Amino acid sequence: QVQLVESGGGLVQPGGSLRLSCAASGFIVRLYEMAWYRQAPGKQRELVASITSGGNTNYPDSVKGRFTIARDNAKNTVYLQMNSLKPEDTAVYYCNFRLPNAYWGQGTQVTVSS
């Protein structure tokens, strides 16, 4: 049923930008609060962005003003635009529900380094 496939990660210099994509199938993303999470080596997974079914967005202080979550209902896809990237943003990024499903996909690696 539910499938979430992340893509768009890569290596970027500090101050650069990346756009991550989360292609969803088996459900309609507009009907749920969706979120992006990240996990750095040796650290716990953390929430970095969320968007409600009504379009309201939320971000923790660590990324607020730099990251933007968006949704394309026609494509049933959730995006994460990341600007002004810092080395501290290096992590594997995952998409999931705001109240996450037990299943986590492979994620997409983001590495910010000079």
Side-chain angles (χ1 to χ4, degrees):
Q1 286 186 311
V2 172
Q3 187 173 17
L4 296 165
V5 180
E6 303 94 342
S7 63
L11 175 64
V12 65
Q13 300 294 319
S17 298
L18 284 174
R19 170 167 277 196
L20 308 183
S21 297
C22 176
S25 59
F27 73 103
I28 305 300
V29 298
R30 187 179 182 182
L31 301 181
Y32 299 88
E33 185 171 4
M34 302 300 299
W36 284 93
Y37 302 80
R38 69 184 181 189
Q39 186 167 29
K43 297 185 178 180
Q44 294 185 338
R45 184 154 38 217
E46 65 174 339
L47 179 74
V48 296
S50 64
I51 181 168
T52 70
S53 60
N56 295 325
T57 59
N58 293 97
Y59 310 89
D61 290 341
S62 59
V63 307
K64 189 174 179 63
R66 301 188 298 119
F67 289 12
T68 303
I69 187 171
R71 183 181 63 214
D72 187 328
N73 297 329
K75 296 181 179 179
N76 208 40
T77 298
V78 182
Y79 301 95
L80 183 68
Q81 178 67 47
M82 304 185 295
N83 300 323
S84 301
L85 283 163
K86 305 174 181 179
E88 307 91 85
D89 296 318
T90 296
V92 178
Y93 285 70
Y94 304 87
C95 60
N96 210 321
F97 300 93
R98 175 61 181 84
L99 302 177
N101 191 284
Y103 169 79
W104 294 87
Q106 65 179 10
T108 185
Q109 175 72 48
V110 172
T111 302
V112 185
S113 177
S114 59

